[in-house]
Amino acid sequence: MLQDKITQYTEEIKQFAPTSSADVENFRLKFLVSKGIVKNLFDEFKTVSVEEKRVLGMVLNEFKQFAERTYQEAQEKFGASKAQVQKSEGDLTLPGQGLKLGSRHPLSLARKEIVEIFKKLGFIVSEGPEIEDDWHNFSALNFPPEHPARDMQDTFFIKKQEGNDITLRTHTSSVQVRLMEAGKPPFRAIMPGRVYRNEAISSRAHCFFHQVEGLYVDEHVSFADLKQTLFHFVQELYGEGTKVRFRPSYFPFTEPSAEMDISCTICKGAGCQLCKYSGWVEILGCGMVDPNVLDNCGIDSTKYSGFAFGMGIERVTNLKYEIKDLRLFSENDVRFLSQFESEII
């Protein structure tokens, strides 16, 4: 009879008086495991009549709770759990399991390499705030209010106010303005950082990305200095033999201006989705600093000249590591990020 078994095991549990953690573990193995007494009694309960179930259901549940409570009290007294017992049986002289090393994000790797290349050329690193005012982000850079050129850099305004709006910066050119306002030429600096633009997210664009901009202002700086500096940078970053071309372009803050392309490193010039099947990929914009920008920052444009350039780190990283979709950089997919474990530096 099920009732008799419950009564018998209840008495046995009442007389349970453990003296060690081993006794507690034996109790668990006898009563509470998947093939223990409690489980067997519940299996037998399924076979009794409906009338008996009404009576024995509550009794059996109380028995189960009593067994679990007894085990819990004994476990607290002797501090013995299954995991602890198994752990105590391990060989403590064996070497521990080493911690798995992480890796740098591919964008961090590319940024570090870009910075190191320009440092060798005498450029310092200058940084500034990501939340900017209208003057530093637009007006000082030849973007007067209501000028059509502002449509090129649609952004996220934090606070619209008369005279000087507050916004998320659209480029790190604002750091160039702050650098020139705070000092005197010569300047030779790069400005890495995160920027924001109101763009549709795709494999080629995102609403936030990372830039490295550069500025060199001194006497007698020419476009030839700009071309040779950037040509050296490309050869260092992508390897000797990488083809470079400059195309005339327009930027409000430089004149003359150009866009610089390199031969696509993914398709090797054959044509692919990233290069729009042209064999070339634009990696940066550049040009000679517009005299108005120098004057806005308190620098005599009749004495000094300079060049500036800016590149998206995502685009550089795409080409360097042959990554076809820049959305991977912000999805936090460990399967993608773990591919760069060998790049720890």
Side-chain angles (χ1 to χ4, degrees):
M1 292 289 293
L2 182 59
Q3 177 65 65
D4 295 336
K5 291 181 180 180
I6 294 175
T7 302
Q8 175 188 342
Y9 290 130
T10 301
E11 290 299 321
E12 182 178 341
I13 293 174
K14 288 181 178 179
Q15 296 176 12
F16 176 61
T19 58
S20 66
S21 59
D23 292 339
V24 178
E25 179 64 6
N26 290 335
F27 178 92
R28 186 187 70 83
L29 294 174
K30 181 176 181 180
F31 285 94
L32 301 176
V33 296
S34 59
K35 294 185 179 181
I37 291 174
V38 173
K39 180 65 167 58
N40 292 337
L41 291 177
F42 271 91
D43 290 340
E44 187 175 343
F45 175 76
K46 298 176 183 178
T47 64
V48 301
S49 64
V50 177
E51 291 75 17
E52 288 179 302
K53 284 184 178 179
R54 294 173 182 171
V55 177
L56 295 177
M58 183 179 298
V59 175
L60 186 56
N61 280 326
E62 290 177 351
F63 170 76
K64 177 185 176 183
Q65 295 171 7
F66 178 55
E68 291 174 342
R69 186 169 59 252
T70 301
Y71 170 72
Q72 184 65 34
E73 292 173 355
Q75 185 185 43
E76 292 174 357
K77 180 177 180 181
F78 290 97
S81 65
K82 180 180 180 181
Q84 290 171 324
V85 171
Q86 291 178 343
K87 183 177 179 180
S88 66
E89 294 173 352
D91 187 350
L92 299 180
T93 64
L94 292 174
Q97 296 180 349
L99 295 176
K100 184 177 180 181
L101 293 177
S103 61
R104 290 183 183 270
H105 193 281
L107 293 179
S108 298
L109 292 170
R111 168 176 165 156
K112 179 178 175 64
E113 189 168 359
I114 293 169
V115 169
E116 290 300 322
I117 292 172
F118 282 107
K119 275 187 176 181
K120 294 176 183 178
L121 298 177
F123 285 76
I124 64 170
V125 175
S126 183
E127 296 183 335
E130 294 184 11
I131 300 176
E132 269 293 3
D133 55 51
D134 184 279
W135 168 256
H136 291 95
N137 196 77
F138 291 119
S139 298
L141 292 164
N142 251 9
F143 287 93
E146 308 303 330
H147 193 281
R150 291 204 179 197
D151 294 338
M152 300 166 57
Q153 297 187 6
D154 188 16
T155 187
F156 303 96
F157 285 92
I158 297 174
K159 184 178 181 181
K160 298 280 286 186
Q161 57 187 24
E162 187 175 349
N164 202 14
D165 298 334
I166 305 300
T167 183
L168 295 178
R169 67 183 182 188
T170 59
H171 46 197
T172 57
S173 302
S174 58
V175 186
Q176 297 183 29
V177 176
R178 291 182 177 275
L179 180 66
M180 289 188 286
E181 286 179 336
K184 295 181 178 180
F187 301 108
R188 186 180 294 184
I190 55 174
M191 299 81 182
R194 181 180 296 177
V195 299
Y196 307 83
R197 295 184 189 178
N198 186 17
E199 296 191 22
I201 298 174
S202 68
S203 63
R204 295 170 53 90
H206 210 292
C207 60
F208 73 89
F209 57 99
H210 301 78
Q211 273 191 339
V212 173
E213 295 200 10
L215 175 70
Y216 178 32
V217 176
D218 203 347
E219 298 183 39
H220 310 301
V221 177
S222 69
F223 201 93
D225 299 316
L226 167 63
K227 290 183 66 175
Q228 188 57 37
T229 298
L230 295 180
F231 180 80
H232 173 79
F233 162 72
V234 168
Q235 304 305 307
E236 287 287 309
L237 186 65
Y238 295 109
E240 294 185 8
T242 304
K243 296 180 180 179
V244 175
R245 74 177 184 183
F246 289 84
R247 293 180 290 108
S249 186
Y250 166 76
F251 300 107
F253 35 82
T254 54
E255 180 60 39
S257 303
E259 293 180 354
M260 190 179 81
D261 304 334
I262 67 169
S263 51
C264 182
T265 60
I266 293 180
C267 66
K268 313 305 179 187
C272 65
Q273 181 180 359
L274 183 67
C275 67
K276 296 184 178 179
Y277 303 96
S278 67
W280 295 91
V281 179
E282 174 197 341
I283 65 167
L284 59 84
C286 58
M288 300 301 294
V289 179
D290 192 295
N292 288 336
V293 175
L294 296 176
D295 293 335
N296 289 338
C297 297
I299 296 174
D300 186 356
S301 60
T302 62
K303 180 179 180 182
Y304 294 100
S305 60
F307 65 73
F309 58 86
M311 70 190 80
I313 299 179
E314 279 83 349
R315 178 66 58 83
V316 172
T317 310
N318 279 351
L319 295 171
K320 183 171 180 60
Y321 296 114
E322 299 185 4
I323 299 168
K324 298 180 180 180
D325 192 333
L326 62 77
R327 288 172 292 191
L328 290 169
F329 295 134
S330 56
E331 289 179 347
N332 297 325
D333 190 331
V334 177
R335 295 171 300 177
F336 168 71
L337 297 176
S338 62
Q339 298 178 56
F340 300 90
E341 290 180 351
S342 61
E343 294 286 354
I344 299 175
I345 56 177

